[in-house]
Amino acid sequence: MLDRIRNTASFIRNKTGFEPEAGIVLGTGLGGLIGSIRIEASLDYRDIPDFPVSTVEGHAGRLIFGLLGGKRVVAMQGRFHYYEGYTPQQVVFPVRVMKMLGIRHLFVSNASGGINPAFRTGDLMVITDHINMIPNPLVGPNIAELGVRFPDMSEPYSRKLIALADEVARREGIALQHGCYIGVTGPTFETQKEYGFYRTAGADTVGMSTTPEVIAARHMDLPVFAVSIITNMGLAGLQSSHEEVLAEGAKAEARMTRLFIGLLEAL
């Protein structure tokens, strides 16, 4: 695995000549942030050795390289999910590669279902902790060159970055929620009892991604900042659809983009 990560990173470096400072993972329907990047290079996932390929609507399937908030970034326009049939190790492979390319911070976004009754559709929630119900990507032989066998997870999301985000949000007039995200396998949306169970467990939002990527990032000692866009309210008893998720994500991503830009500028 380590050789494949190195080979893929070498391929990307040779193709782009780009040295990113920060990595960005864009969730379902949240690719609009790309329009704010001063793009210097891009690669389709299908052209990158050992990269999975996005199969979900709302995930364009490209790596974008350029400037955002005065920093050199590499952005994943579309991510991979366990429910697509990929192994947990394949899901986090791009995060491993971005670390090998030189990123020092990871920014993650997702579309999620709100299960905190104080939340509303369209809210931005800064993730302060998570509950992982997706198979752990660190199961199997440990690659010591990437990280320790038993990585600490007492601070999965950087408190420093969260504090910076709160400052940016106050300055920009962006309302933020804070809370716990639970990552589940999907691909079904949750039943009402499942929503209630997750809420009882301490979760504020639920989604089908993010936690494996964060685990891999923390394994490699990468600071993480993550935001959930609340695209539907799970406990409302209403039907959920992928189309609804895409539409609500598109409405809120301008605020998320401003937040990410402000954070990058503050680094």
Side-chain angles (χ1 to χ4, degrees), residues 126-144:
V126 173
I127 303 178
T128 57
D129 205 343
H130 73 226
I131 300 168
N132 179 49
M133 302 293 288
I134 302 172
N136 194 304
L138 304 187
V139 170
N142 184 56
I143 302 174

Side-chain angles (χ1 to χ4, degrees), residues 7-260:
N7 290 340
T8 301
S10 178
F11 172 87
I12 292 170
R13 196 175 292 113
N14 290 336
K15 280 285 186 181
T16 66
F18 195 85
E19 297 183 3
E21 302 168 84
I24 301 173
V25 181
L26 295 171
T28 300
L30 304 179
L33 176 144
I34 298 300
S36 297
I37 298 176
R38 196 173 82 196
I39 298 174
E40 296 189 7
S42 68
L43 293 171
D44 288 344
Y45 292 164
R46 64 175 177 271
D47 296 328
I48 303 173
D50 287 317
F51 242 63
V53 177
S54 297
T55 66
V56 182
E57 183 184 353
H59 291 256
R62 292 189 302 161
L63 270 187
I64 306 294
F65 304 83
L67 295 177
L68 183 69
K71 302 295 188 297
R72 298 185 305 276
V73 302
V74 52
M76 290 181 64
Q77 194 177 15
R79 58 149 55 91
F80 312 108
H81 306 81
Y82 181 70
Y83 66 72
E84 294 175 84
Y86 294 119
T87 67
Q89 291 74 25
Q90 287 176 304
V91 168
V92 304
F93 185 79
V95 174
R96 302 285 200 195
V97 170
M98 288 194 289
K99 168 67 173 179
M100 200 67 70
L101 288 172
I103 68 168
R104 298 191 292 274
H105 297 88
L106 181 68
F107 296 81
V108 182
S109 68
N110 62 55
S112 66
I115 50 180
N116 183 328
F119 291 178
R120 295 293 179 267
T121 299
D123 281 354
L124 298 185
M125 187 195 83
V126 173
I127 303 178
T128 57
D129 205 343
H130 73 226
I131 300 168
N132 179 49
M133 302 293 288
I134 302 172
N136 194 304
L138 304 187
V139 170
N142 184 56
I143 302 174
E145 291 86 349
L146 297 179
V148 298
R149 170 75 279 189
F150 302 105
D152 177 72
M153 289 295 287
S154 62
E155 191 179 342
Y157 303 89
S158 167
R159 297 187 188 105
K160 177 182 176 181
L161 292 177
I162 291 170
L164 277 175
D166 287 340
E167 290 179 13
V168 170
R170 281 193 292 269
R171 186 175 69 244
E172 296 288 330
I174 301 170
L176 293 179
Q177 303 281 11
H178 296 74
C180 177
Y181 173 91
I182 185 167
V184 299
T185 63
T188 54
F189 289 106
E190 291 70 31
T191 68
Q192 287 297 292
K193 288 296 185 182
E194 286 170 336
Y195 282 128
F197 176 73
Y198 299 149
R199 179 62 184 150
T200 300
D204 297 289
T205 65
V206 57
M208 306 171 193
S209 66
T210 300
T211 52
E213 297 154 338
V214 173
I215 289 168
R218 296 306 299 137
H219 181 230
M220 299 181 294
D221 206 27
L222 266 178
V224 177
F225 176 78
V227 169
S228 288
I229 293 180
I230 311 304
T231 52
N232 61 294
M233 288 303 298
L235 283 173
L238 304 174
Q239 289 189 350
S240 298
S241 71
H242 189 62
E243 291 72 24
E244 176 190 12
V245 168
L246 292 174
E248 292 299 332
K251 293 177 186 176
E253 70 177 352
R255 283 175 285 131
M256 184 195 76
T257 296
R258 283 163 50 209
L259 184 65
F260 277 18

